[in-house]
Amino acid sequence: MDVQKQYPFETVAVCVLPNHIHAIWTLPPDDADYSLRWRLIKTKFSAHFPHAENLSASKQRRHERGIWQRRFYEHTVRDEIDLQRCADYIDWAFSSFHRYVRDVL
């Protein structure tokens, strides 16, 4: 991924849901710029889809594509217990990961 090469981060866990995404990242010690990474990922992803014709005036003014929600919410993991809690939260019951673990591992 271009963004990850330019602005390093490690994906600890990720879950893409029907209408949003959850991710746990480890960023470099001296760099906590989540906003830049999400903006670049969203921009690069959105470039692969045609422009929607029925965007609100607000979205048009902000040059938004209508794919993503405007905001994201970040949480800094404090310790191993907090990491486990976050990972449990993003563990979506319908994820194909569970089938993979059952069938392959």
Side-chain angles (χ1 to χ4, degrees):
M1 172 183 282
D2 294 338
V3 175
Q4 195 171 25
K5 287 178 186 173
Q6 189 172 6
Y7 299 98
F9 63 92
E10 176 188 342
T11 300
V12 176
V14 65
C15 183
V16 179
L17 297 152
N19 60 355
H20 64 286
I21 186 170
H22 292 282
I24 300 173
W25 291 343
T26 301
L27 275 58
D30 59 342
D31 180 359
D33 197 345
Y34 298 96
S35 296
L36 174 66
R37 288 168 174 85
W38 274 124
R39 181 175 51 80
L40 293 172
I41 289 168
K42 289 177 178 182
T43 299
K44 288 181 180 289
F45 179 90
S46 300
H48 295 281
F49 295 91
H51 289 272
E53 295 181 17
N54 57 348
L55 291 178
S56 68
S58 173
K59 288 186 182 203
Q60 290 175 20
R61 276 193 309 276
R62 295 171 188 243
H63 304 286
E64 294 177 355
R65 299 289 304 279
I67 298 169
W68 302 102
Q69 67 183 33
R70 284 187 180 152
R71 293 170 185 85
F72 70 92
Y73 301 93
E74 67 185 69
H75 168 77
T76 300
V77 174
R78 295 177 299 275
D79 54 31
E80 287 298 320
I81 293 170
D82 194 25
L83 175 60
Q84 186 61 55
R85 185 186 59 76
C86 292
D88 289 344
Y89 179 79
I90 72 167
D91 182 14
W92 190 40
F94 303 104
S95 169
S96 63
F97 175 75
H98 300 288
R99 185 184 69 230
Y100 174 77
V101 169
R102 182 189 68 233
D103 295 347
V104 178
L105 297 181

